[in-house]
Amino acid sequence: MHQPKRVAIVTGASRGLGEVIARVLADRGYELVIGARNAAPLEDAAQSLREGGVTVVAVAGDVTDASVRARLVSAAETLGGLDVLVNNASELGDIGPLMDFDVTRFGRVFPVNAGAPIALIQRALPLLAGRRGLIVNITSDAAHGAYAGWGPYGASKAALELLTRTLAVELRDGGVSAVIVDPGDMRTRMHQQAFPNEDISDRPLPEVTAPFWSWLFDQDPAGISGERFAAQSEDARWLERV
């Protein structure tokens, strides 16, 4: 019996962590729909991923735009369905004391980090339900820690975590699963933006998380739904695969 190709959507996939996640999925034979705001680096990432022999559709645009979300889901439907949705696109926002914070900036941080993932899930749910799919929402330890200067970003990720745990409960009977992943400190462009005058070369590259992603995408989604994972923790469940 012919088995349909597995399909994944990864947002924020033009570089860094998103590109690493997309590459792990490609190595596992997934057809990919990848998204990011800037078309040129996104297409570069797509071309590199295609070298592995998988189909990759690049959808450039801001994930807060409903038409971009529609294009992402439509591309997955054209590929045959949707098994995995990774909401990785994030907005750092301004780093600084809350008393100096321009509250109007909440209008960008929360829509990107919490609103857009839920809106994309709503759009993709019929496809995910058809494959008993997995939703992966990317969080941060800033969602739990009170780090000076990181209040708005951390609050948006804390909101995403609660929303994800709620989704895991609400979608269980429909066969769709949802997990939260904290990738940990990494040497990424966004992390450098948070520390513009500091040397962050001591942080590992996003590839350090690859063993975790390889493990995660092998799991029965229903068996892990509702869990929060720290990708760089010394967990034998995935480190034994290295």
Side-chain angles (χ1 to χ4, degrees), residues 134 214-224 229 237 241:
L134 174 66
S214 294
W215 173 86
L216 182 73
F217 297 132
D218 267 354
Q219 304 310 298
D220 173 12
I224 57 173
F229 297 101
R237 287 179 294 176
R241 300 165 61 102

Side-chain angles (χ1 to χ4, degrees), residues 48-223:
S48 177
L49 290 164
R50 290 181 189 121
E51 292 174 3
V54 299
T55 300
V56 182
V57 179
V59 176
D62 194 314
V63 75
T64 62
D65 184 332
S67 68
V68 172
R69 296 193 297 269
R71 287 164 54 209
L72 288 164
V73 175
S74 177
E77 186 171 22
T78 299
L79 291 176
L82 185 59
D83 299 89
V84 175
L85 168 58
V86 181
N87 283 302
N88 172 65
S90 292
E91 176 82 9
L92 180 62
D94 297 327
I95 297 295
L98 282 173
M99 292 301 94
D100 296 337
F101 180 63
D102 178 0
V103 176
T104 61
R105 288 288 293 169
F106 273 123
R108 176 68 187 168
V109 175
F110 270 81
V112 174
N113 295 350
I118 298 303
L120 182 54
I121 292 164
Q122 290 172 337
R123 186 90 189 201
L125 186 59
L127 294 184
L128 288 164
R131 296 280 186 92
R132 303 187 71 81
L134 174 66
I135 298 160
V136 181
N137 288 334
I138 304 300
T139 186
S140 165
D141 62 349
H144 289 185
Y147 300 140
W150 289 71
Y153 174 78
S156 70
K157 289 299 188 178
L160 180 62
E161 292 204 12
L162 179 57
L163 291 167
T164 307
R165 290 196 297 272
T166 305
L167 278 173
V169 174
E170 294 180 346
L171 301 181
R172 183 184 299 134
D173 290 344
V176 177
S177 303
V179 298
I180 310 158
V181 178
D182 175 4
D185 261 7
M186 298 176 298
R187 197 187 324 161
T188 63
R189 181 177 178 180
M190 192 170 83
H191 201 86
Q192 186 65 77
Q193 288 173 344
F195 301 97
N197 300 314
E198 294 186 26
D199 178 8
I200 65 167
S201 61
D202 60 324
R203 275 76 165 184
L205 291 169
E207 285 79 1
V208 72
T209 64
F212 165 76
W213 298 113
S214 294
W215 173 86
L216 182 73
F217 297 132
D218 267 354
Q219 304 310 298
D220 173 12

